[in-house]
Amino acid sequence: MFDDATSERLHKDTEAGFIAIAGNPNSGKTTAFNRYTGARQHVGNYPGITVEKKEGLAHLSDGSTVTLVDLPGTYSLTAYSLEEVVARRVLAEDRPGAVIDVLNTSVLERNLYLSVQMLEMGTPLVLCLNMMDEAKERGVTIDIERLEQKTGLKCVAAVARSGEGLDEALTEAVKLSKATKGRIDPLVISYGPDLDAVLPRMIELVEKAKLLTDQYPSRWVAMKFLEKDKDIIGRCRRIDNAACDQLAAIAAKVEAHLRSTLNTYPEAVIADYRYGWINSIIKDGVLTGDSEAFERIALSDKLDKILTNRLLGPIILLVVLYAMYFFTIEVGQYPNDWLSGAFDWLSEFIGDKMADGPLKSLITAGIISGVGGVLGFVPLIMIMFFMIAFLEDSGYMARVAYIMDRVFRFFGLHGASIMPFIIGGGIAGGCAVPGVMGARTLRSPKERLATILTVPFMTCGAKIPVFLLFTGIFFKDNQPMVMFILTLAGWAAALLVSLLLRSTIIRGEPTPFVMELPPYRLPTLAGICIHTWERTWQYIKKAGTIILGISILIWAAMTFPDLPDSEMTMYDNQRASITAANEGKSEDELSALTADIDNAESAEKLRHSLAGRLGIAMETVTEPAGFDWRTNIALLGGIAAKEVVISTLGTAYSLGATDAEEDQSLAERIENDSNWKFSNAVALLLFTLLYSPCFVTLAMIRQETGRWGWLFFSLFFNLILAYAVAVVANQLLA
Ligand code: GDP
Ligand code: MG
């Protein structure tokens, strides 16, 4: 931004480089600058642009001097005004060693908006809390130590007009400049589920094309595409136009999505979350009194007084979570019964119309009982997604994160681990794949790794139908409560495993964190419906593709190889002899008489099949957990995708079913199977919650950690943990 000669001179003056003074208009920058430099100041224009530029020499108390530059006053670093463009170019291109951020303390909230943006650019800051005199007059008090703790920045109380605090601010800035050489790790804050989901991909593109990455952090550049910043995008286009097209396309897609679901746009969401970050800092005991920030106490703040209250907050959270399951199950039970009834009818109808044989078996047992079992849960899942969409769109989800944050540090996780947990199914119904990817917002590699490895314990949308099926059978009277407890058990497992990992193989210090609290919004019905449908459609699509494919494979493994001819003849002979002995009886009476033989034959067929033999071989290991060979096959298939547990059991029970059972649902069949005990069901529920992540999640873990080792760790550690828990549960309850 300066001409080359000026820039060079500025950096030669001191080993610390030059110090810039930044802040909102009228925060007292020029007053401070004049106090620092006395008469020795230059006034001029920034080359090519007519914005006044001031620089001068300041003397420190130890006799050394440092060059100061007074930046134009701005509220923001977006490219809306010339001042903003100039300010951020000086910060990025000329790189001051450190910046004294002059704030009007009485309106701290608004003033910190610029600070957040400088931190996001990776600029080392000293916060100069100016106009302390006025703030005191207004009855505003600030807990400076707490503010330092929360932001990790040096904060100095100042009155620029009298010079109070200015020396200290400058000394700290010079110190910071020597320590950081003008660059710190940029601040990374969450921008909510929609933007966080696309940012990793955008950052990848920015880094690959090297778009201004020598000057700005790559995440910052990516965000400029979301903010449609003409200045930055124009400069990037000159570097790699094709990459910019891709970035712009992603940005346009998110924008369209935000417009249709939340009736908002990326810039507004970004601003919301920045203010959310600021709010959570200054509300949490930093600022008290009667400032402008408090005059603006809106509904949002009043709600937060209750919803994020230390005591009430967690209680309300638990009630919300329980209520969600309660309504899901109470309301969802009716459409659910109709739908499973429809599938049973379909299966029977096709069964009657088609001739016996492998094709009929494939369609009724393999596809309808398998995939239909998974699709049967669509109404329940849809109702749950509807409520989750409401919690997300309203802004409550961010509060959940805020409340949980307090617990996290203890377990060696980071506050930013919460979003990945929630995305992974922490409130139920998420997916570990984006959850693991969402851990990218974590800067500390150790905390990130601990998060990635524990996200799969959450109750993702694929585990939900398994839980619903078995709690519906074995916990008829308190199904919502048990679903609720399973969700909490997932959290407990994640936290405890994290504690274990962080005190053994991934030990390390925690890093500071502030949680964003964007304002509450009344969600629109259309927005919630779109979100609900998007997720439900994902579920249906998965059932119709991946689950269908796996179901057919598993059906084949359960059907072939067929019984040897000798055994088939044996069953045929038995039937023939009964028919012969009861000559003259009707067909119905005959089939009732041969039912036992049919049963024995289909059971034998299953046991003889590839899957049957594998499942039986596994029984030696799984017996203490109470899993029979059918459950073994279901759980093995569940590593491909957790819904497969349901579809496999559906197929197994359907293949083994007698004529009399043909119109029964999987739930009824399991209920009537005397081999299924309460203890087995509890063991299965816990095992499903904890055991190995599905294939796609495992692949994502490999990608995100960059190591095959962590893939195998997840696969086997979780398996062993789940097995141990299941055995204990089964033995205790048996
Ligand atoms: P700039 O726009 O950031 O350069 O702000 P100025 O330095 O021009 O200051 C704006 C107004 O605030 C001026 O009237 C200053 O006298 C006044 N001012 C600056 N610092 C303080 C302070 O610490 N306390 C009070 N009460 N007023 C101040
Ligand atoms: Mg000024």
Side-chain angles (χ1 to χ4, degrees):
M1 183 66 342
F2 298 120
D3 52 70
D4 288 350
T6 316
S7 187
E8 208 172 289
R9 176 174 50 76
L10 284 172
H11 282 276
K12 255 200 325 237
D13 275 350
T14 57
E15 78 174 288
F18 71 100
I19 305 286
I21 300 183
N24 288 11
N26 287 317
S27 59
K29 288 181 308 302
T30 304
T31 311
F33 180 85
N34 289 343
R35 281 233 156 231
Y36 280 133
T37 57
R40 289 174 286 270
Q41 62 156 307
H42 302 264
V43 179
N45 286 329
Y46 287 94
I49 304 169
T50 50
V51 174
E52 199 184 42
K53 170 185 83 176
K54 276 179 258 160
E55 58 163 282
L57 276 184
H59 294 267
L60 282 101
S61 41
D62 66 0
S64 61
T65 56
V66 62
T67 305
L68 283 185
V69 170
D70 189 14
L71 290 181
T74 60
Y75 294 105
S76 170
L77 288 177
T78 44
Y80 294 127
S81 69
L82 210 49
E83 282 82 2
E84 291 176 350
V85 175
V86 169
R88 82 178 180 199
R89 283 204 184 181
V90 172
L91 291 176
E93 291 168 27
D94 300 312
R95 280 273 152 200
V99 170
I100 299 176
D101 183 7
V102 180
L103 306 155
N104 179 350
T105 308
S106 307
V107 282
L108 193 59
E109 185 193 26
R110 175 154 46 84
N111 277 235
L112 279 171
Y113 192 73
L114 177 69
S115 323
V116 176
Q117 294 181 70
M118 290 196 281
L119 290 172
E120 287 186 304
M121 279 178 61
T123 309
L125 294 187
V126 171
L127 297 188
C128 177
L129 301 166
N130 194 31
M131 309 212 180
M132 252 327 175
D133 52 340
E134 248 181 53
K136 275 192 191 130
E137 238 166 71
R138 292 199 195 188
V140 177
T141 50
I142 290 215
D143 185 339
I144 292 188
E145 232 169 76
R146 202 173 171 87
L147 181 61
E148 287 186 334
Q149 242 172 38
K150 299 222 97 186
T151 56
L153 303 173
K154 186 74 201 159
C155 304
V156 180
V159 182
R161 211 144 56 177
S162 69
E164 187 190 320
L166 290 185
D167 274 347
E168 194 192 344
L170 185 58
T171 312
E172 290 295 341
V174 171
K175 234 196 267 171
L176 186 65
S177 162
K178 283 176 182 153
T180 62
K181 302 271 177 292
R183 257 173 223 264
I184 53 166
D185 274 349
L187 170 70
V188 175
I189 67 180
S190 161
Y191 286 108
D194 291 311
L195 300 188
D196 281 0
V198 296
L199 272 170
R201 170 78 188 122
M202 296 181 77
I203 293 168
E204 229 168 84
L205 284 168
V206 168
E207 280 171 0
K208 221 167 35 254
K210 296 203 172 58
L211 302 177
L212 300 178
T213 41
D214 52 330
Q215 293 173 359
Y216 299 94
S218 47
R219 190 172 193 258
W220 189 90
V221 177
M223 279 179 42
K224 293 298 135 182
F225 279 85
L226 293 171
E227 293 176 325
K228 290 192 292 207
D229 184 306
K230 288 210 181 70
D231 174 53
I232 294 290
I233 295 177
R235 288 161 68 196
C236 287
R237 284 206 177 275
R238 269 171 261 145
I239 298 168
D240 186 338
N241 204 25
C244 291
D245 281 339
Q246 274 177 288
L247 284 160
I250 297 176
K253 207 169 148 203
V254 188
E255 173 156 3
H257 181 84
L258 283 174
R259 272 194 203 287
S260 62
T261 56
L262 298 173
N263 193 22
T264 180
Y265 47 96
E267 295 97 301
V269 172
I270 290 169
D272 271 5
Y273 276 84
R274 281 187 183 138
Y275 274 116
W277 186 86
I278 293 166
N279 269 326
S280 65
I281 288 178
I282 61 176
K283 266 189 207 168
D284 198 13
V286 168
L287 193 66
T288 42
D290 223 15
S291 77
E292 208 173 293
F294 284 85
E295 283 160 29
R296 299 194 306 119
I297 287 192
L299 181 65
S300 196
D301 294 7
K302 282 190 194 149
L303 277 173
D304 269 342
K305 285 229 161 79
I306 302 165
L307 293 178
T308 64
N309 178 288
R310 260 166 210 282
L311 205 69
L312 280 176
I315 296 173
I316 294 172
L317 171 59
L318 292 177
V319 171
V320 167
L321 197 59
Y322 176 77
M324 203 183 76
Y325 283 124
F326 182 80
F327 284 116
T328 302
I329 288 161
E330 285 298 305
V331 181
Q333 143 196 357
Y334 302 100
N336 212 60
D337 286 350
W338 303 329
L339 194 64
S340 19
F343 279 117
D344 298 339
W345 176 85
L346 185 67
S347 178
E348 223 192 330
F349 178 79
I350 294 180
D352 285 348
K353 289 274 178 288
M354 284 178 72
D356 283 347
L359 186 64
K360 171 176 160 181
S361 165
L362 170 65
I363 292 176
T364 56
I367 297 176
I368 300 179
S369 295
V371 176
V374 176
L375 286 179
F377 287 100
V378 164
L380 276 178
I381 295 237
M382 202 160 160
I383 292 168
M384 195 173 72
F385 284 160
F386 186 88
M387 284 185 277
I388 289 174
F390 180 87
L391 293 182
E392 265 179 11
D393 291 3
S394 65
Y396 183 69
M397 222 46 127
R399 270 69 188 182
V400 174
Y402 181 80
I403 295 165
M404 292 306 299
D405 175 36
R406 297 178 197 141
V407 190
F408 266 48
R409 205 149 312 225
F410 178 78
F411 292 95
L413 289 165
H414 190 251
S417 310
I418 308 202
M419 261 321 180
F421 272 37
I422 290 177
I423 294 171
I427 303 292
C431 175
V433 175
V436 166
M437 210 152 58
R440 285 188 187 181
T441 45
L442 278 92
R443 282 277 133 162
S444 144
K446 288 181 175 170
E447 286 161 342
R448 177 162 171 236
L449 185 57
T451 308
I452 290 175
L453 295 178
T454 49
V455 163
F457 291 122
M458 298 292 123
T459 40
C460 72
K463 293 178 191 171
I464 292 286
V466 184
F467 293 168
L468 285 171
L469 176 69
F470 282 93
T471 54
I473 300 170
F474 291 94
F475 295 92
K476 275 206 172 66
D477 298 332
N478 36 19
Q479 195 186 0
M481 182 50 93
V482 177
M483 293 290 295
F484 169 70
I485 291 171
L486 279 168
T487 304
L488 296 189
W491 280 90
L495 294 181
L496 290 175
V497 168
S498 162
L499 186 64
L500 176 75
L501 294 175
R502 294 281 281 134
S503 44
T504 53
I505 50 176
I506 34 182
R507 214 176 313 183
E509 284 303 301
T511 50
F513 170 71
V514 179
M515 189 67 221
E516 302 81 26
L517 287 182
Y520 287 101
R521 275 209 196 85
L522 192 64
T524 62
L525 186 63
I528 295 180
C529 289
I530 292 171
H531 272 146
T532 305
W533 178 245
E534 278 171 354
R535 292 216 183 125
T536 309
W537 180 236
Q538 286 290 323
Y539 183 87
I540 295 173
K541 224 167 49 183
K542 195 173 167 196
T545 52
I546 301 172
I547 310 292
L548 175 66
I550 299 170
S551 291
I552 292 173
L553 280 181
I554 289 182
W555 167 84
M558 285 183 175
T559 307
F560 304 108
D562 217 338
L563 283 175
D565 284 346
S566 60
E567 277 192 58
M568 302 261 261
T569 333
M570 185 190 81
Y571 288 113
D572 284 344
N573 288 344
Q574 285 179 358
R575 266 186 294 260
S577 65
I578 288 180
T579 317
N582 296 283
E583 226 170 316
K585 293 210 169 158
S586 76
E587 195 131 314
D588 278 354
E589 281 171 308
L590 273 179
S591 76
L593 288 170
T594 55
D596 282 347
I597 298 168
D598 293 347
N599 262 349
E601 187 183 7
S602 38
E604 199 47 43
K605 262 189 175 169
L606 263 175
R607 297 174 148 269
H608 186 78
S609 71
L610 190 67
R613 279 184 257 179
L614 184 61
I616 289 167
M618 286 164 71
E619 274 182 351
T620 45
V621 184
T622 60
E623 208 233 281
F627 302 156
D628 73 352
W629 62 275
R630 275 182 285 223
T631 313
N632 289 344
I633 296 302
L635 290 171
L636 196 62
I639 298 185
K642 294 280 152 70
E643 297 95 330
V644 171
V645 175
I646 296 278
S647 61
T648 305
L649 285 174
T651 303
Y653 275 90
S654 177
L655 284 173
T658 55
D659 286 350
E661 290 169 354
E662 216 152 60
D663 60 344
Q664 286 184 351
S665 69
L666 175 59
E668 286 164 329
R669 283 172 183 161
I670 289 177
E671 205 171 352
N672 295 334
D673 183 348
S674 56
N675 288 326
W676 265 106
K677 289 196 227 36
F678 176 75
S679 58
N680 306 149
V682 175
L684 176 67
L685 285 170
L686 291 170
F687 190 87
T688 306
L689 176 69
L690 301 174
Y691 87 116
S692 315
C694 67
F695 277 159
V696 189
T697 306
L698 285 171
M700 193 49 83
I701 290 174
R702 157 71 184 85
Q703 183 193 312
E704 294 297 291
T705 58
R707 302 245 313 256
W708 285 98
W710 292 120
L711 181 157
F712 289 112
F713 177 87
S714 267
L715 182 61
F716 293 113
F717 177 85
N718 295 14
L719 188 64
I720 293 165
L721 175 72
Y723 177 72
V725 171
V727 169
V728 170
N730 185 48
Q731 300 296 329
L732 283 181
L733 296 170

